[in-house]
Amino acid sequence: MLRFLVRRVAFGALVMLIVSLVVFILFYVASDPASSFCGRTCTPERKTQIKIVLGLNRSYPRQYLSFLNHLLHGDLGTSFVNRISVNSVIKSGLPATASLALGAAVLWLLMGIPIGITAATKPRSVRDRLATLFALVGVSLPSFVVGLMLLNLLFFQLTTHGHPWFPPSGYVGITDNPLQWARHLLLPWFTLAFITAAAYARLTRGSMLEVLGEDYIRTARAKGLRERTVIYKHGLRSALTPVITLLGIDIGTLLGGTVVTEQLFGLQGIGQSALNAVHNNDLPVVLGTVLVAAFFIVLANIVVDLLYAVLDARVRLS
Amino acid sequence: MSLSIEKSEAGADLPRPEGDVLVRLTGVVKHFPITSGVIRRKEVGRVHAVDGVDLEIRRGETLGLVGESGCGKSTLARLITGLQPVTKGSITFEGVELTKLGRRQMTPYRREIQMIFQDPYGSLNPRRRVGSIIGDPYDIHDVAAGDERKRLVQELMEVVGLNPEHYNRFPAEFSGGQRQRIGVARALALKPKLIVCDEPVSALDVSIQAQVINLLADLQKEFGLTYLFIAHDLSVVRHVSDRVAVMYLGKVGEQAEADELYGHPRHPYTGALLSAVPIPDPDRAASKRRVRLYGDVPSPINPPSGCRFHPRCPKAQDDCTTVDPLLIPAHGDPADHLTACHHPVEDGEDLALARPSISQPDPVAEAPDLPTADSLADRRTP
Amino acid sequence: MSETLVPAQPDTPVTAAAKEGAVVARTPTQLAWRRIKRDKVSLAAAVFILFVILVAIFAPVVCHIIGQSPTSQDRGDHGLTLDGVPVGPSRYHWLGTDEVGRDVLARLIYGSRISLIVGVLATAFELVIGIVVGLLAGYYSGKTDTLLSRFMDVVLSFPFILTALSIVAVTGPSLWVSIVVITFFGWSNIGRIVRGQVLSMREREFVEAARSLGAGDLRIMRKDLLPNLVGPLIVYSTLLIPVNIVSEATLSFLGLGVVPPTATWGNMLAGSADGLYRVAWWYLTFPAMALVLTTLAFNLLGDGLRDALDPRADRVLATK
């Protein structure tokens, strides 16, 4: 188990190294950071000066090593635009992004898994067909369409009819006011949850159907256990393993920034910062957010693999 | 190159030149390493699939190869056809060493050695038409193309008893027996010298088995083919084979002329296999006693010491646990009836009555402990 | 089997074949076609997709017929109200106008071109890369497989939108950047599927048979493995096209895709998100409907195709 962990972490570190190399090439070799730092009113003298200050006059390998050195010390650099450290940009964005991702995850699990189970326990029934339709519609809906519809119906229509239940945008810290926090996040949560729940319903259905076909389920039924016990105690347990795998990776991906949803609902999260940085040509912030997002994905993959090993004894052997 | 016209010189009625060896296996070993670890693969063990086999296949004969599943007979087939590289030992075809050849150099011998597979469903690509499957060999070896290929393929289809008009059908449109005929046609296409038949009928219905076997026999007569016929079913093997070799756990236990082997089985394993063959006459069947073997085939990862059969053998003695018996003639048998056994079965001996007498008493034990000096000294003769 | 059975059945080959030939079987393709013909939903989806494709191809003709252009602003009363607010559906502009008075219907028609071009081209590129990498990884296994699989893992470790953001930040947005970015993130899924299929097929006897005939690796991949991948790949591509259409729309929505004033469904929705959804419901509803109906049609068709081609493969979507 420990060796497995060590190997997994080593590979994760390798992935991060490759990601850092790719973004370095993208931002320092393929593009011109000096002129983007310089801004619109740039003179050649100023640009040369900037190159010296930023260390851009050194060779690329040396630049990369120094970049890597900073990374290893947890320093993601400084914004070109407002001279704030990228670390603090991400730190300030993380609460909103994390609240959004985790809350949405709870919601989509609550929606997706029951729908999947219902569909799987009666395959080819009307319930199953409805669940399939729900899943297909969910998969077909882009998040910004769902978000726009929710904004239109639940914020705009309700508000114009005198029921300002949902605010259109903004983020309130959970420590400042938990109730306002939830109220501001409800629409974003639903936006994310609705499109993701579809995939979970499908996955749960498929994996549940497979598990219910196993011999031990037949044995459990033959023993005379109630159908409820068979499904929830014997079936669900192993059927949820792939769901947990997907959940881990999804949360990892979302923690790196949910650009569309944050943008739509004006949540100052990591994704929003990244998007603004792209529009402002603020390369260090873009680069930092990409690295952080990749880090979350790699971390989630490691956690999922470990969880999987714990849940599924068969993996542990190999 | 036309198949149906050419007839072979080595027809069945001609006396077979004794000792004209087509394929010779010497000390052939195939181990499959079991590895673990992702970044640095470490070998943690090996499957001894084939573990030192000497065998010769003579021109024009059918050599039957019998054994339980997992005894290594299919692996042996894949070694001879070059599908798997050997770990050790030599395989010669008409005197040419095959094991050292590269892929390019092997190509001419691929034409001479063909294979018929066990599973008529798995061995035909479900997405390709029969004509294209049977014509594959012509395509691969640049023998014929276009209409010429079609003509050859349809000729072949007729030879193996398929309707040539079914040229454009998919394998799914044929029954199991017909599919095996497709497999036979494909193996026949390049007019090989040797066809390795890997349990060609075990996946078929009994009634279809006979048809395919008869087809193989006819083709052998017509084209002077040599067969290595692998089966786990002794009765099929007896019907088709000139000589039979019995394999157990990667080794040959006994080999002889078919009638000699069936009439005078020397290896207790052969005896046990023969006693398991159902007898169609109920009176004789009732009087016959089956030889009961203990336990399962031991793991080829960790084969038993000495004679590999000793943990299950009704005649096992202490020496069987330590000394690997040589494959030699026993009890004054003819020179090509070879048996690898310390205590071969006598003619007329009832194996069902035999009981092992190994000092270490548990007959089910898969891997016995090494014998003590005490057990070696205390040798009782049966 | 008893040995007495063997001579019992006299058998001249041709009569035996005629006897066995009584089995009437259909090829997998025929079976699939029969199943899909009975599936009304899939047929409807296919017809809708065909409609969208035709509209996209003949966009100039269609716009000429309705007498609108996607880029010209209607400076009259039917374009914008006096307050500069878009005008709703009318007999001049059937689906209303947008924030600068352009015809929404014409823009939708032209937008379908971008969606389909990106959806189809990106999927095609993903297929090519995915098939090559998946075949190599699955067929050669061992070190090649480890290397390629790890490479796919690395690709999947890049956050899609953020990396797309950064690439666009460097190159600037354009149609081709969108296609390249989407392809880069999509091919590894196909690669994984192909690899898995090849791994399970590699040990089948027909591959061994081909090898025993002396077929080379390339030939086996092309003639024996690839034909068996066609089914799953058709299904997966049909399901991948809507994913890519949504990805393109998302990039456009964020202002990172095809640049305005070119009409794309994502651009239109971005305009709507800019507050217009409060006053111009048509500017939100119709582009959203176009996008959702198109992706839904592809998904329904893909779902139906999967059932038709392989009734037991519930896994294609699950692996996504």
Side-chain angles (χ1 to χ4, degrees):
Chain A
M1 192 68 185
L2 190 69
R3 282 189 44 202
F4 177 70
L5 179 68
V6 169
R7 226 170 39 215
R8 251 347 245 100
V9 170
F11 179 66
L14 181 70
V15 172
M16 284 311 295
L17 197 69
I18 295 174
V19 173
S20 74
L21 187 63
V22 170
V23 291
F24 174 81
I25 292 173
L26 201 59
F27 286 114
Y28 286 86
V29 182
S31 69
D32 187 4
S35 28
S36 85
F37 182 91
C38 203
R40 298 238 161 76
T41 54
C42 194
T43 58
E45 297 78 40
R46 202 169 125 70
K47 200 171 157 185
T48 323
Q49 209 181 349
I50 285 168
K51 273 197 174 172
I52 294 165
V53 172
L54 294 180
L56 297 173
N57 51 348
R58 292 170 297 173
S59 69
Y60 288 132
R62 290 208 41 203
Q63 285 187 47
Y64 177 63
L65 285 181
S66 122
F67 167 74
L68 205 59
N69 188 32
H70 281 284
L71 275 189
L72 289 175
H73 289 91
D75 175 13
L76 290 166
T78 310
S79 160
F80 282 174
V81 176
N82 47 19
R83 309 289 189 267
I84 297 173
S85 85
V86 179
N87 292 43
S88 63
V89 171
I90 283 164
K91 218 180 280 172
S92 70
L94 200 55
T97 299
S99 308
L100 178 57
L102 296 175
V106 172
L107 256 182
W108 80 57
L109 287 178
L110 287 177
M111 287 160 76
I113 292 178
I115 291 175
I117 295 173
T118 321
T121 47
K122 279 224 173 140
R124 314 231 166 250
S125 66
V126 179
R127 279 198 308 205
D128 185 22
R129 274 165 215 281
L130 283 178
T132 306
L133 189 68
F134 164 79
L136 283 179
V137 171
V139 172
S140 309
L141 279 173
S143 54
F144 54 92
V145 170
V146 179
L148 277 173
M149 287 189 327
L150 289 180
L151 269 178
N152 186 15
L153 297 174
L154 294 182
F155 153 69
F156 180 66
Q157 300 292 347
L158 282 181
T159 308
T160 44
H161 289 88
H163 306 290
W165 296 339
F166 299 103
S169 65
Y171 172 75
V172 178
I174 185 168
T175 44
D176 300 341
N177 186 343
L179 215 68
Q180 282 300 319
W181 171 79
R183 197 169 85 98
H184 279 79
L185 280 168
L186 217 50
L187 289 185
W189 280 341
F190 265 104
T191 302
L192 265 185
F194 186 74
I195 52 161
T196 320
Y200 280 73
R202 266 203 99 100
L203 184 61
T204 309
R205 175 183 179 270
S207 130
M208 193 79 189
L209 272 179
E210 201 165 303
V211 169
L212 289 181
E214 299 270 348
D215 284 344
Y216 74 90
I217 292 292
R218 208 180 333 153
T219 313
R221 286 200 176 120
K223 280 196 300 190
L225 293 182
R226 279 187 312 163
E227 189 62 19
R228 183 178 280 273
T229 320
V230 172
I231 289 172
Y232 290 97
K233 271 192 95 173
H234 295 246
L236 195 57
R237 213 192 154 104
S238 32
L240 283 187
T241 312
V243 176
I244 288 170
T245 309
L246 186 63
L247 178 68
I249 290 170
D250 277 348
I251 290 182
T253 312
L254 290 184
L255 281 181
T258 44
V259 181
V260 176
T261 317
E262 287 174 20
Q263 150 89 351
L264 210 50
F265 293 97
L267 299 170
Q268 285 302 323
I270 297 177
Q272 178 82 302
S273 315
L275 190 62
N276 289 339
V278 170
H279 288 306
N280 295 332
N281 217 357
D282 192 354
L283 292 182
V285 176
V286 181
L287 195 150
T289 45
V290 169
L291 281 174
V292 169
F295 173 75
F296 278 125
I297 292 176
V298 168
L299 188 69
N301 271 299
I302 295 174
V303 171
V304 158
D305 279 358
L306 289 180
L307 260 181
Y308 205 77
V310 173
L311 287 173
D312 194 336
R314 279 169 298 181
V315 183
R316 235 177 296 167
L317 292 173
S318 60
Chain B
M1 137 163 192
S2 172
L3 259 167
S4 43
I5 305 161
E6 277 179 61
K7 294 270 173 179
S8 127
E9 319 84 80
D13 352 55
L14 296 172
R16 293 207 179 90
E18 221 25 86
D20 182 6
V21 176
L22 187 64
V23 176
R24 186 187 295 284
L25 280 69
T26 320
V28 170
V29 173
K30 178 66 185 179
H31 290 173
F32 294 102
I34 306 165
T35 54
S36 97
V38 175
I39 295 167
R40 270 180 51 219
R41 298 208 163 267
K42 263 197 322 195
E43 189 176 307
V44 292
R46 19 180 68 206
V47 177
H48 300 240
V50 174
D51 216 359
V53 165
D54 301 314
L55 206 63
E56 54 183 49
I57 306 172
R58 297 170 193 163
R59 198 180 296 276
E61 76 166 351
T62 299
L63 174 65
L65 187 61
V66 198
E68 287 166 285
S69 43
C71 72
K73 53 193 195 305
S74 284
T75 306
L76 198 64
R78 279 156 180 75
L79 295 179
I80 294 172
T81 48
L83 284 174
Q84 299 267 358
V86 296
T87 308
K88 224 164 65 186
S90 116
I91 300 175
T92 61
F93 181 84
E94 294 186 319
V96 180
E97 178 66 48
L98 295 184
T99 54
K100 305 273 184 295
L101 296 182
R103 208 179 86 77
R104 268 294 134 75
Q105 299 159 301
M106 183 72 191
T107 309
Y109 298 99
R110 296 247 191 235
R111 296 181 59 159
E112 306 285 7
I113 307 173
Q114 291 292 316
M115 188 157 170
I116 298 170
F117 291 85
Q118 171 175 7
D119 178 5
Y121 295 85
S123 61
L124 304 177
N125 192 332
R127 298 275 169 186
R128 294 181 61 190
R129 292 171 196 279
V130 169
S132 141
I133 292 177
I134 300 178
D136 237 8
Y138 296 133
D139 193 24
I140 293 168
H141 294 276
D142 277 329
V143 174
D147 288 345
E148 167 75 355
R149 179 159 83 221
K150 183 168 178 181
R151 190 181 62 76
L152 286 175
V153 169
Q154 290 190 324
E155 231 171 76
L156 267 176
M157 290 177 76
E158 212 158 331
V159 168
V160 299
L162 290 166
N163 186 345
E165 286 166 20
H166 294 172
Y167 184 85
N168 274 327
R169 294 198 174 180
F170 284 95
E173 299 174 67
F174 294 87
S175 67
Q178 284 176 311
R179 289 186 195 207
Q180 205 53 308
R181 287 174 195 271
I182 298 171
V184 172
R186 173 172 59 185
L188 210 57
L190 295 169
K191 204 159 174 287
K193 292 193 172 124
L194 172 71
I195 297 186
V196 176
C197 312
D198 185 13
E199 306 210 27
V201 296
S202 15
L204 304 177
D205 286 350
V206 174
S207 58
I208 309 292
Q209 289 189 349
Q211 296 172 4
V212 172
I213 284 179
N214 287 343
L215 170 70
L216 288 174
D218 292 343
L219 294 173
Q220 185 170 37
K221 261 185 239 155
E222 204 174 333
F223 301 109
L225 299 168
T226 304
Y227 288 145
L228 173 64
F229 193 97
I230 297 173
H232 59 251
D233 184 329
L234 273 177
S235 57
V236 174
V237 165
R238 177 177 199 174
H239 181 78
V240 299
S241 305
D242 301 299
R243 290 190 309 129
V244 175
V246 178
M247 257 185 105
Y248 184 79
L249 265 188
K251 290 203 158 197
V252 173
E254 183 171 9
Q255 67 177 74
E257 293 274 340
D259 292 336
E260 168 77 15
L261 185 107
Y262 284 76
H264 312 280
R266 294 298 182 216
H267 201 289
Y269 181 61
T270 316
L273 282 182
L274 281 175
S275 83
V277 174
I279 299 174
D281 177 350
D283 295 333
R284 270 176 59 215
S287 70
K288 195 179 121 166
R289 261 189 285 189
R290 284 196 54 180
V291 181
R292 209 169 280 278
L293 291 184
Y294 302 99
D296 292 323
V297 183
S299 156
I301 297 170
N302 206 349
S305 61
C307 172
R308 300 185 162 203
F309 188 52
H310 84 258
R312 304 173 71 198
C313 181
K315 293 190 71 174
Q317 310 281 316
D318 281 334
D319 53 345
C320 302
T321 64
T322 47
V323 186
D324 194 5
L326 294 173
L327 192 63
I328 45 168
H331 293 314
D333 284 332
D336 65 350
H337 184 175
L338 309 173
T339 311
C341 182
H342 294 306
H343 311 282
V345 182
E346 316 264 349
D347 289 338
E349 180 183 344
D350 191 350
L351 263 180
L353 299 175
R355 289 290 174 272
S357 65
I358 307 180
S359 319
Q360 188 238 16
D362 183 10
V364 192
E366 284 197 354
D369 298 326
L370 284 175
T372 57
D374 189 23
S375 73
L376 283 173
D378 179 28
R379 238 180 237 175
R380 281 160 296 178
T381 35
Chain C
M1 146 172 192
S2 152
E3 58 185 286
T4 52
L5 262 176
V6 176
Q9 298 217 346
D11 169 36
T12 57
V14 179
T15 58
K19 212 162 56 203
E20 288 170 37
V23 183
V24 179
R26 292 191 169 81
T27 63
T29 323
Q30 284 175 326
L31 283 174
W33 178 236
R34 279 164 65 88
R35 279 190 225 114
I36 202 94
K37 267 200 300 195
R38 258 182 275 144
D39 185 354
K40 298 267 173 353
V41 178
S42 300
L43 279 185
V47 168
F48 182 79
I49 291 168
L50 202 67
F51 169 73
V52 176
I53 292 174
L54 287 176
V55 164
I57 292 174
F58 297 108
V61 183
V62 178
C63 284
H64 183 75
I65 292 169
I66 62 171
Q68 295 293 346
S69 124
T71 42
S72 69
Q73 303 172 347
D74 185 341
R75 300 194 190 277
D77 291 346
H78 313 303
L80 293 172
T81 64
L82 290 176
D83 313 332
V85 175
V87 176
S90 64
R91 65 194 172 87
Y92 305 102
H93 299 285
W94 296 350
L95 300 184
T97 60
D98 71 357
E99 70 269 29
V100 288
R102 292 171 298 198
D103 186 65
V104 169
L105 179 58
R107 289 185 70 73
L108 275 185
I109 289 168
Y110 270 87
S112 68
R113 289 186 146 191
I114 304 290
S115 285
L116 287 181
I117 286 173
V118 176
V120 172
L121 275 188
T123 306
F125 293 149
E126 287 169 1
L127 270 178
V128 172
I129 304 175
I131 287 174
V132 170
V133 174
L135 267 177
L136 292 178
Y139 187 77
Y140 286 108
S141 64
K143 285 216 170 65
T144 318
D145 181 28
T146 314
L147 201 73
L148 291 175
S149 297
R150 292 295 151 190
F151 180 58
M152 291 193 258
D153 287 347
V154 171
V155 169
L156 289 176
S157 299
F158 280 88
F160 169 61
I161 292 189
L162 282 175
T163 314
L165 285 182
S166 31
I167 292 174
V168 173
V170 172
T171 63
S174 79
L175 178 68
W176 283 102
V177 170
S178 300
I179 293 177
V180 168
V181 167
I182 292 169
T183 304
F184 177 74
F185 285 98
W187 68 268
S188 50
N189 285 314
I190 290 188
R192 281 186 167 186
I193 286 177
V194 171
R195 173 181 170 271
Q197 296 266 340
V198 170
L199 268 182
S200 70
M201 234 188 311
R202 208 169 56 114
E203 303 303 325
R204 296 269 295 277
E205 275 189 339
F206 66 79
V207 175
E208 227 176 11
R211 211 175 299 141
S212 82
L213 291 172
D217 294 340
L218 269 179
R219 187 195 158 87
I220 291 178
M221 287 186 220
R222 210 183 58 223
K223 287 230 162 183
D224 289 302
L225 299 178
L226 212 49
N228 285 286
L229 291 170
V230 169
L233 285 179
I234 287 179
V235 172
Y236 200 70
S237 327
T238 318
L239 295 173
L240 207 53
I241 290 175
V243 173
N244 291 339
I245 289 180
V246 167
S247 295
E248 186 281 322
T250 307
L251 290 178
S252 286
F253 178 78
L254 293 173
L256 305 165
V258 179
V259 267
T262 308
T264 75
W265 296 345
N267 282 348
M268 297 174 78
L269 285 163
S272 173
D274 235 9
L276 267 182
Y277 67 91
R278 306 181 191 196
V279 286
W281 60 267
W282 56 91
Y283 196 38
L284 166 62
T285 310
F286 294 123
M289 265 173 60
L291 185 56
V292 173
L293 285 180
T294 306
T295 52
L296 184 62
F298 274 108
N299 277 321
L300 285 172
L301 181 65
D303 208 47
L305 278 177
R306 182 186 43 227
D307 285 348
L309 287 171
D310 186 1
R312 230 205 70 77
D314 223 353
R315 253 154 274 183
V316 180
L317 243 178
T319 48
K320 208 175 68 175

